[in-house]
Amino acid sequence: MAENGTRKPVSLALQGGGMHGAFTWGVLDRLLEQDSGLEIEGVSATSAGAMNAAVLAQGLRQGGPPQARQALHDFWRAIAHSVESYTPFHQVPWMTGHHSFWLDHSPLHAMADIVLRIFSPYQFNPYNRNPLREILLAHVDFDALRQGCPIQLFLCATNVETGKIRLFSSQDICVEAVLASACLPTLFQAVEIEGEHYWDGGYVGNPAIFPLIYHCRTSDVVIVHINPIVRRGVPTTAADILNRVNEVSFNSSLMREMRAIAFVTSLIQRGKVERGEMKEMWIHSIRSDETMAALGVSTKYNADWHFLCELRDKGRAATEAWLRDNYAHIGQRSSIDIDKEFL
C-alpha cells in the first residue's frame, strides 16, 4: 500500500444506518492506521455517519490519526454503556428491557414496533430526551471544531417543511446539527435549528456527494456503504418489506448522484467537454452487502458492545481487502464500474 511514507488524499462519504454505523467505525479505524497510505481531506456524512464524522474530526484535531482512533473507540463504548440503561420507551415501564428488547423476533420488539406506528415521539417522549446529546457533548468540542476543523466536514439533514437538503459545514457544526442528521422521525422529535426543523438526512442525501466535488481538491471519493444496495430475494413479511423499502429509499439519493457523475465522466472521456471545465471524479466503494443483508432490521438499534465490536471488525476486514485490491487506483481512476453498480 503506502510506499516511502507517501499518503494519497481522499474524501469519504459515510452512510447512515443506526448502530450499523459501527461498521463505518471499523472502516475509519483501518484507514487511520499509518500503513493505509491515505489522508482524509473531507467527509460528507449522514445520520450515524455524521456522528462518526464529528468524532473523527475531534480526534484528528486533538492528536491526529492515533487520537482519532481512540476517540471513535471511546464514543462507541459510551453508546453501548448508555443504551444499557435507556430505550426510547423508558417512560413506558412495561416496555423497558435489556438488549433482548432489540433482537429480531422478540415479543418486546414486536410491541415496540406497534407502539411506533401508533404513538409519535411527541407522545411517548414528551420531554424530548435524547441520550445521544449528552454522549456527543462529552466526546466532541463543537466550539473548537467551528474555530478550526482539520478536515472539510459536511453533515446532511432534511428540512421537514421544504423537503430540501441542509448541509452543515465545518463552520456551523454543532450538536444540534449532528442530532438533526440522525433524527429518525419515529424515534425523536424534529430538531430545531435557527427556526427550521430537521429530520434524518438519509431521506435526501445518504450521503451527499456534491459538497465533496465542489469543496475538496481530491477527485477520489470513497463511499462507505451501510445500507445494502443488493438484497437477493423478495421480502414477504411486513417487517422485511418495510426494511427493504427503507433501504431502497435511503440509497435513492446516492444512486441519482452516481448517475450524474457517470454522465459528466462520460462527457469528459468522450471529449464532449474539455478537461478542466468539469471535474472528473474517481469513485471507490467500501461495502459488505453480505454482512449487512444478513442483519435483521432490529439490529440497527442493537448497541450491545460485542455486537458493535463485531461490526467494527467486519468494517476493518472489508477495508483491508479494499486497500489490498484498490490502493493503486487512488489518484488514477475509479475502482468500481459506476454503470454496473448504480445505473
Side-chain angles (χ1 to χ4, degrees):
M1 285 168 270
E3 297 180 0
N4 302 322
T6 59
R7 305 184 70 79
K8 298 181 179 181
V10 297
S11 293
L12 304 180
L14 310 181
Q15 280 197 325
M19 296 303 151
H20 292 180
F23 178 88
T24 302
W25 165 29
V27 172
L28 295 173
D29 189 65
R30 180 63 186 94
L31 292 180
L32 288 165
E33 290 182 344
Q34 181 66 29
D35 68 342
S36 75
L38 298 180
E39 180 177 356
I40 301 170
E41 180 186 353
V43 179
S44 179
T46 296
S47 198
M51 292 187 285
N52 275 318
V55 176
L56 167 69
Q58 171 71 18
L60 289 173
R61 187 182 187 280
Q62 285 184 315
Q67 183 59 40
R69 295 182 65 201
Q70 185 64 49
L72 286 162
H73 173 278
D74 294 346
F75 172 77
W76 282 99
R77 188 67 187 90
I79 291 285
H81 178 74
S82 174
V83 176
E84 288 174 0
S85 57
Y86 175 86
T87 78
F89 309 98
H90 63 283
Q91 294 169 326
V92 186
W94 54 270
M95 295 198 68
T96 302
H98 200 252
H99 294 306
S100 61
F101 170 85
W102 300 111
L103 297 179
D104 279 332
H105 311 302
S106 163
L108 285 175
H109 178 266
M111 292 162 63
D113 185 62
I114 294 173
V115 168
L116 287 176
R117 295 173 188 272
I118 298 175
F119 299 102
S120 82
Y122 296 87
Q123 296 169 308
F124 67 72
N125 187 10
Y127 296 105
N128 199 23
R129 184 187 175 199
N130 188 337
L132 292 174
R133 175 183 295 276
E134 288 74 23
I135 296 172
L136 285 165
L137 288 174
H139 290 81
V140 180
D141 185 340
F142 290 98
D143 290 335
L145 283 183
R146 285 194 299 272
Q147 295 171 11
C149 188
I151 56 177
Q152 294 281 353
L153 192 59
F154 306 96
L155 309 184
C156 175
T158 304
N159 187 298
V160 176
E161 295 180 278
T162 68
K164 294 181 179 180
I165 190 172
R166 168 70 189 270
L167 287 174
F168 297 94
S169 67
S170 310
Q171 290 72 40
D172 53 15
I173 186 174
C174 58
V175 67
E176 286 80 12
V178 181
L179 293 175
S181 184
C183 180
L184 285 174
T186 56
L187 289 179
F188 302 110
Q189 297 182 24
V191 177
E192 182 177 357
I193 302 174
E194 298 174 348
E196 300 287 343
H197 292 82
Y198 298 96
W199 281 341
D200 193 294
Y203 297 109
V204 289
N206 193 26
I209 306 298
F210 67 88
L212 302 176
I213 299 174
Y214 296 155
H215 300 288
C216 293
R217 294 185 301 275
T218 179
S219 294
D220 291 277
V221 174
V222 181
I223 304 170
V224 182
H225 296 263
I226 296 297
N227 299 291
I229 294 178
V230 176
R231 182 183 287 273
R232 299 299 179 188
V234 177
T236 56
T237 68
D240 289 343
I241 291 171
L242 181 60
N243 183 44
R244 188 53 182 159
V245 167
N246 287 335
E247 287 175 348
V248 172
S249 299
F250 273 46
N251 278 324
S252 62
S253 60
L254 177 63
M255 303 284 273
R256 287 193 297 271
E257 283 202 273
M258 287 299 103
R259 293 189 185 98
I261 289 172
F263 176 69
V264 172
T265 299
S266 175
L267 291 178
I268 295 173
Q269 292 179 348
R270 290 186 291 124
K272 300 297 184 181
V273 174
E274 291 291 334
R275 292 184 182 273
E277 290 185 19
M278 291 186 176
K279 187 176 182 180
E280 183 174 3
M281 300 302 297
W282 296 316
I283 305 300
H284 314 275
S285 176
I286 299 178
R287 61 198 264 199
S288 179
D289 280 2
E290 181 179 355
T291 295
M292 294 305 174
L295 299 175
V297 60
S298 66
T299 61
K300 291 184 177 181
Y301 308 101
N302 182 4
D304 177 80
W305 178 239
H306 297 292
F307 174 70
L308 297 179
C309 289
E310 288 176 5
L311 278 180
R312 175 203 61 195
D313 293 343
K314 293 285 188 180
R316 282 186 56 87
T319 307
E320 183 67 36
W322 177 80
L323 285 168
R324 181 184 63 247
D325 297 338
N326 299 291
Y327 179 80
H329 303 319
I330 300 293
Q332 301 296 322
R333 64 175 179 84
S334 293
S335 59
I336 61 171
D337 185 334
I338 298 178
D339 290 352
K340 180 180 178 180
E341 296 287 340
F342 295 101
L343 304 187

